[in-house]
Amino acid sequence: MLFDSYKLDSKRLDNRYVVAPMTRISAEADGRANDRMKKYYQRFAKGGFSTIITEGIYPDRTFSQGYNNQPGMATDIHADAWKPIVDTVHEEGSILIAQLMHAGGQSQGNAYTDETIAPSAIPPKGEQLGFYGGSGTFQTPRAMDDQDFLEVKEDFVAAARRAKAAGFDGVEIHGANGYLLDQFLTDYLNKREDEYGGSVDNRLRFVLEVVDEVLAEVGEDFIIGIRISQGKVADQSH
Ligand SMILES: Cc1cc2nc3c(=O)[nH]c(=O)nc-3n(C[C@H](O)[C@H](O)[C@H](O)COP(=O)(O)O)c2cc1C
């Protein structure tokens, strides 16, 4: 079955091999994708993977960036920089899905601000990742207020819109590995006492709002997925 063709939404794919998203911090300091990244993605497409999910891409110019030299989808300049990569992958017959990632409290390198935000003012467990240039524990994030809720949703939607316009075949919303949306799902990081914390339904609420808004904006003829996990990159015991 791995080598059978199948249909994912409207796309006919040659096989079921998918490249998992892998952060590589090889973009320009201002978040533009570059030729080095094009060669990297082209190799997977040439190798025959029907589907490639990009490394985690930050959606806004405020709090979402997690690592220095991570690529962005926060501006039209960012989106334009991805176009040659999208074109190359399509020329090789594969599809490309943009993984949109808000690092939340697990940010360790952000060109736009020194502050971090999260569901509650509780830092992630564990330490920053040394191979991505971090060291020591994480700072204490600011608990998100009403304005942050609106902005984070709008920024995911805007980034998805840019990805679609740049020719991507879909987006994967990063709800895993300890980043912002996973922080909402995690009981020891989400101590909110409003409708976004407490019960499982409440902890799911923000994640589902993001998904719904992205679907409403770009859902037609565009693949939309979400990644969830039980692990966290900074804390392998959870
Ligand atoms: C260097 C590296 C970077 C990764 N970056 C991401 C990422 O940006 N987004 C994500 O969802 N997962 C990321 N992951 C997790 C992988 O997608 C994958 O789930 C993980 O490596 C487990 O699969 P494996 O056992 O085949 O390695 C990363 C993994 C590695 C090794």
Side-chain angles (χ1 to χ4, degrees):
M1 276 182 66
L2 275 172
F3 293 98
D4 288 350
S5 159
Y6 77 111
K7 218 163 162 243
L8 180 63
D9 283 4
S10 63
K11 310 282 176 194
R12 168 64 58 185
L13 302 172
D14 288 345
N15 59 57
R16 291 164 190 269
Y17 283 93
V18 178
V19 179
M22 283 177 278
T23 289
R24 327 180 47 241
I25 58 164
S26 52
E28 302 302 313
D30 64 4
R32 277 173 300 135
N34 55 28
D35 198 50
R36 189 172 161 206
M37 291 166 60
K38 181 173 147 187
K39 291 190 179 110
Y40 166 82
Y41 287 107
Q42 183 179 33
R43 284 202 295 274
F44 284 113
K46 261 190 194 307
F49 287 88
S50 71
T51 305
I52 300 169
I53 306 178
T54 67
E55 61 208 277
I57 302 173
Y58 63 85
D60 64 48
R61 280 180 295 169
T62 48
F63 303 108
S64 61
Q65 187 178 356
Y67 302 105
N68 293 325
N69 293 95
Q70 183 189 358
M73 193 69 77
T75 64
D76 291 343
I77 293 170
H78 285 158
D80 282 347
W82 277 102
K83 281 182 186 163
I85 301 178
V86 173
D87 291 344
T88 300
V89 167
H90 284 164
E91 276 157 26
E92 301 293 345
S94 307
I95 66 166
L96 191 61
I97 311 273
Q99 187 184 55
L100 300 180
M101 161 180 157
H102 193 307
Q106 202 171 238
S107 171
Q108 62 175 58
N110 185 341
Y112 306 97
T113 176
D114 291 332
E115 193 180 25
T116 59
I117 59 168
S120 303
I122 303 171
K125 292 183 180 174
E127 299 216 331
Q128 298 181 27
L129 308 185
F131 54 90
Y132 291 147
S135 64
T137 53
F138 290 89
Q139 65 178 297
T140 301
R142 174 172 64 73
M144 284 171 61
D145 61 22
D146 291 351
Q147 187 63 24
D148 295 314
F149 275 82
L150 286 176
E151 283 176 12
V152 170
K153 278 188 280 192
E154 276 173 18
D155 292 337
F156 266 108
V157 168
R161 200 187 307 124
R162 279 185 207 103
K164 190 172 185 179
F168 280 90
D169 302 279
V171 291
E172 179 178 78
I173 295 165
H174 200 340
N177 298 354
Y179 299 109
L180 181 71
L181 299 182
D182 182 63
Q183 289 155 28
F184 272 90
L185 300 176
T186 301
D187 55 4
Y188 63 83
L189 293 175
N190 179 354
K191 296 286 187 195
R192 296 187 73 90
E193 290 176 356
D194 57 11
E195 71 269 38
Y196 293 101
S199 66
V200 172
D201 280 353
N202 279 0
R203 281 184 277 129
L204 269 168
R205 193 177 310 279
F206 186 59
V207 180
L208 295 178
E209 285 179 4
V210 170
V211 172
D212 282 347
E213 292 203 13
V214 170
L215 264 171
E217 176 74 17
V218 293
E220 200 160 319
D221 199 27
F222 196 58
I223 297 162
I224 296 172
I226 178 147
R227 183 170 216 201
I228 54 173
S229 68
Q230 301 210 318
K232 314 218 182 293
V233 292
D235 177 22
Q236 300 296 333
S237 65
H238 284 85

